């Protein structure tokens, strides 16, 4: 089946469907970040002896989620969505209620979960922006050429 270009005056349905799909993917990534934050907030204290293994595992998980989201969507803003969801869920659950209850406590594991997770989420977002921001021209030198063979010297003037 051939793709027929739209006639003048006809709406482009493919662009609208692509925008809706992209928006849906961003929403799912945000919800994934919320899910990781909620599950991590209730499971961060599991560890091996005094070592906060679960807290560190959840830190690495949010880092990987942010980097892989940017990679999968080929857009740096996609790595920001799980991080924003994680921040929203984790820090809301870290606040105390008027009755004094708190989910994430002031323990070593709690500190590693909150501060380590925040650092890993930020690192994942930065990695996504560095990797997918501006497209770079990736040229490899031909045989017999160096990387500087195609560079012309700068000449002042018109």
């Amino acid at each position: 089946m051939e793709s027929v270009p739209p006639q003048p005056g006809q709406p482009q349905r493919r662009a609208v469907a692509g925008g809706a799909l992209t928006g849906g993917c961003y929403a799912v990534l945000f919800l994934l970040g919320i899910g990781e934050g909620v599950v991590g907030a209730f499971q961060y204290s599991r560890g091996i002896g005094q070592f906060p293994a679960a807290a560190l595992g959840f830190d690495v998980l949010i880092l990987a989620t942010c980097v892989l989201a940017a990679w999968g969507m080929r857009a740096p803003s996609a790595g920001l969505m799980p991080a924003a969801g994680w921040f929203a869920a984790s820090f809301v659950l870290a606040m105390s209620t008027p009755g004094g209850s708190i989910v994430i406590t002031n323990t070593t594991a709690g500190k590693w979960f909150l501060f380590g997770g925040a650092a890993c989420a930020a690192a994942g977002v930065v990695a996504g922006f560095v990797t997918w921001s501006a497209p770079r021209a990736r040229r490899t030198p031909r045989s017999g050429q160096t990387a500087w063979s195609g560079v012309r010297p700068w000449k002042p003037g018109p």
Side-chain angles (χ1 to χ4, degrees):
M1 188 168 138
E2 285 186 48
S3 175
V4 179
Q7 299 295 321
Q10 287 183 336
Q12 292 184 354
R13 291 188 180 135
R14 182 171 284 201
V16 173
L21 180 65
T22 302
C25 289
Y26 281 117
V28 168
L29 288 171
F30 183 76
L31 292 174
L32 178 64
I34 288 176
E36 287 181 15
V38 169
V39 171
F42 288 102
Q43 301 297 322
Y44 72 91
S45 61
R46 297 183 185 270
I48 303 168
Q50 295 295 329
F51 183 72
L56 295 175
F58 285 113
D59 295 346
V60 170
L61 180 65
I62 192 63
L63 172 70
T65 303
C66 292
V67 171
L68 291 174
W71 173 76
M73 297 276 296
R74 302 286 194 264
S77 57
L80 186 62
M81 291 293 103
W86 184 89
F87 273 106
S90 296
F91 285 98
V92 164
L93 291 172
M95 294 188 301
S96 63
T97 63
S101 314
I102 191 164
V103 175
I104 302 173
T105 58
N106 188 18
T107 60
T108 303
K111 290 175 187 176
W112 274 104
F113 176 71
L114 280 178
F115 299 126
C120 286
V125 170
V126 168
F129 273 93
V130 167
T131 306
W132 297 107
S133 284
R136 294 182 213 116
R138 298 177 192 231
R139 293 187 288 158
T140 57
R142 296 182 189 138
S143 62
Q145 288 184 331
T146 65
W148 295 98
S149 296
V151 178
R152 289 185 244 147
W154 179 74
K155 294 181 183 177

